[in-house]
Amino acid sequence: MLTVALPKGALLKESIRLFQAIGLDFSGFLDPANRQLQIVAPTGNAQALLVRTQDVPVYVEYGQAQLGIVGYDVLREKNPQVAHLLDLQFGRCRLSVAVKQASPYRCSLDLPPHSRVASKFVHCARAYFEQMDLPVEVVPLYGSVELGPLTGMSEAIVDLVSTGRTLKENGLVELEVLFESTARLIAHPLSYRLNRFGLHQPIEQIQALLSSPVP
Amino acid sequence: MLTVALPKGALLKESIRLFQAIGLDFSGFLDPANRQLQIVAPTGNAQALLVRTQDVPVYVEYGQAQLGIVGYDVLREKNPQVAHLLDLQFGRCRLSVAVKQASPYRCSLDLPPHSRVASKFVHCARAYFEQMDLPVEVVPLYGSVELGPLTGMSEAIVDLVSTGRTLKENGLVELEVLFESTARLIAHPLSYRLNRFGLHQPIEQIQALLSSPVP
């Protein structure tokens, strides 16, 4: 049976709406009482796994799911061996460098060499500063990265920004954007080549949806 | 000012109770309406940071917090440069190997060589299987590790078990325990040696609490 890996969190609602639009209903995951992590569509021809957004590429890489939806940010950070098929246009945000509003820095290159930069996106942050030849120490954090500059642990952060509300509430200001991110459709490369479980069909349906004008 | 890093999640309530018992009130973090990640005790002589449990040792390592509470599991997995002071006796759980109930494996060594083992505790899992000279592939996951065996992605998992309810609900059975974990009090090593902000006093008070008989 075709298996789809769906990301918990910010991308879930739109992901479910997308599959509903092509006849695959996984809306059971939106029921607050739901505890199941694996549900079969009522049509019986596909199932979905509900996993952490960082785990979506893992399930797809190992072929346990043939399709998955994940943020471009996760693809950039983890660089998984998956086929990157479509930009789904939702879940728009950006990975940005930010500092305290009160700091004298107005662009990334203003940061003093060997500054500390707190981030959940360790690889992206490292690659970015390396490419501008600015040596920094990346401090890996799992959450609430904005605490880094507030406590004085780091001069800057590299973090996802969507509305900018969290930055503002914490007196931080965005300096530069590393890249923009949106939700992406990914596939297990071998399954995609072999059209396993007829997976080309839902992919083409999603593609058609994306290219048709919004009603 | 003395700064304490407190872990979000399962250990928070008991951690706050512990500091309350020695006169430092950080119970503001338990207010569901609270959005602050940094609060000062009403006595004005200490503040607390509310961070992810994996981030507690980071703040303590960098000296942004002089004290922290964190699970022994995190200390084993991340091996941070912190002074490990006291076993606080709460938050008891164990890191265990588990497999599907229907599988033929009854101990870790039954697993076929090159099995896949899903885990959030990548280093602990690797060290455990290396020490028994059993080559396995550790699949790093961020959440819902129990989906590994259910979807067939992995033969086994290495995950935290407290009541065993999650395992049971997912038809998994515990094979072996890697180690037991409880909450630990950690300190920034240099701050501890220098008794910065008089941090020996709260440590001694906590030690006294632990060794006094429960009323």
Side-chain angles (χ1 to χ4, degrees):
Chain A
M1 199 186 327
L2 179 71
T3 304
V4 176
L6 298 179
K8 288 185 183 177
L11 301 180
L12 184 62
K13 246 181 165 166
E14 288 277 0
S15 301
I16 286 176
R17 195 174 307 170
L18 186 76
F19 280 104
Q20 269 178 325
I22 64 162
L24 297 174
D25 184 7
F26 303 122
S27 58
F29 284 147
L30 295 176
D31 178 354
N34 171 65
R35 286 202 64 182
Q36 291 210 281
L37 300 175
Q38 200 169 11
I39 55 176
V40 175
T43 43
N45 55 343
Q47 66 169 340
L49 308 176
L50 182 62
V51 302
R52 290 279 187 103
T53 177
Q54 298 97 324
D55 291 341
V56 167
V58 180
Y59 284 90
V60 174
E61 215 172 349
Y62 280 92
Q64 241 54 47
Q66 292 78 46
L67 284 178
I69 292 181
V70 66
Y72 178 63
D73 54 302
V74 175
L75 296 179
R76 281 287 292 262
E77 178 64 17
K78 305 192 43 149
N79 205 12
Q81 301 291 310
V82 297
H84 181 163
L85 301 179
L86 292 172
D87 181 344
L88 300 173
Q89 314 276 359
F90 62 83
R92 198 170 292 276
C93 58
R94 52 196 186 273
L95 193 71
S96 296
V97 182
V99 295
K100 269 176 143 169
Q101 212 138 23
S103 86
Y105 317 125
R106 284 302 159 254
C107 72
S108 301
L109 270 174
D110 282 351
L111 286 168
H114 309 290
S115 289
R116 287 189 191 145
V117 178
S119 189
K120 290 178 238 178
F121 294 83
V122 173
H123 294 120
C124 292
R126 252 185 222 134
Y128 172 75
F129 285 102
E130 263 168 25
Q131 150 247 301
M132 59 172 66
D133 209 20
L134 179 64
V136 300
E137 179 181 358
V138 177
V139 180
L141 288 182
Y142 281 75
S144 306
V145 177
E146 63 275 15
L147 258 183
L150 294 191
T151 58
M153 182 166 68
S154 73
E155 275 82 7
I157 62 173
V158 166
D159 205 17
L160 285 182
V161 181
S162 50
T163 61
R165 186 180 162 209
T166 305
L167 291 186
K168 213 168 177 183
E169 284 184 344
N170 289 287
L172 299 175
V173 59
E174 216 173 331
L175 289 189
E176 279 177 43
V177 175
L178 277 70
F179 56 78
E180 301 259 338
S181 177
T182 48
R184 304 297 166 100
L185 186 69
I186 59 172
H188 179 237
L190 191 64
S191 299
Y192 182 61
R193 280 206 298 285
L194 301 177
N195 191 19
R196 230 182 141 202
F197 306 118
L199 84 100
H200 288 180
Q201 198 199 331
I203 295 169
E204 282 159 19
Q205 286 174 302
I206 290 173
Q207 201 157 19
L209 267 182
L210 291 174
S211 48
S212 68
V214 181
Chain B
M1 201 189 320
L2 179 72
T3 304
V4 176
L6 298 179
K8 286 183 183 179
L11 302 180
L12 184 62
K13 246 180 163 169
E14 288 277 1
S15 300
I16 285 176
R17 196 173 308 169
L18 186 76
F19 279 105
Q20 269 179 324
I22 63 161
L24 297 175
D25 184 7
F26 303 122
S27 58
F29 285 146
L30 295 177
D31 178 354
N34 171 63
R35 288 201 62 182
Q36 290 209 282
L37 301 174
Q38 199 170 13
I39 54 175
V40 175
T43 42
N45 55 343
Q47 65 169 339
L49 307 176
L50 182 63
V51 301
R52 290 277 189 102
T53 177
Q54 298 97 325
D55 291 342
V56 167
V58 180
Y59 283 91
V60 174
E61 217 173 347
Y62 281 91
Q64 241 54 46
Q66 291 79 45
L67 284 179
I69 293 181
V70 66
Y72 178 63
D73 55 302
V74 175
L75 296 179
R76 280 287 291 261
E77 178 63 16
K78 307 192 41 148
N79 204 13
Q81 301 291 310
V82 297
H84 182 163
L85 300 178
L86 292 172
D87 181 345
L88 300 173
Q89 314 276 0
F90 63 84
R92 198 169 292 277
C93 58
R94 50 198 188 272
L95 192 70
S96 295
V97 182
V99 295
K100 268 175 142 169
Q101 211 138 22
S103 87
Y105 317 125
R106 286 298 159 255
C107 71
S108 302
L109 270 173
D110 283 350
L111 286 168
H114 308 290
S115 290
R116 286 187 191 146
V117 178
S119 188
K120 289 178 239 178
F121 294 82
V122 173
H123 294 119
C124 291
R126 253 187 221 132
Y128 172 75
F129 285 103
E130 264 169 24
Q131 151 247 300
M132 60 172 65
D133 210 18
L134 179 63
V136 300
E137 180 182 357
V138 177
V139 180
L141 288 182
Y142 280 76
S144 306
V145 177
E146 63 275 14
L147 258 183
L150 295 191
T151 59
M153 182 167 67
S154 73
E155 276 82 7
I157 62 173
V158 166
D159 205 16
L160 284 183
V161 181
S162 50
T163 61
R165 186 180 161 206
T166 305
L167 291 186
K168 213 168 178 182
E169 284 183 345
N170 288 287
L172 300 174
V173 59
E174 213 172 334
L175 290 189
E176 280 177 42
V177 174
L178 278 70
F179 56 78
E180 301 258 338
S181 177
T182 47
R184 305 296 166 101
L185 186 68
I186 59 173
H188 179 238
L190 190 64
S191 299
Y192 181 61
R193 279 206 299 285
L194 300 178
N195 190 21
R196 230 182 141 203
F197 306 118
L199 83 100
H200 287 179
Q201 198 199 331
I203 295 169
E204 281 159 19
Q205 286 174 302
I206 291 173
Q207 200 157 19
L209 266 182
L210 292 173
S211 49
S212 67
V214 182

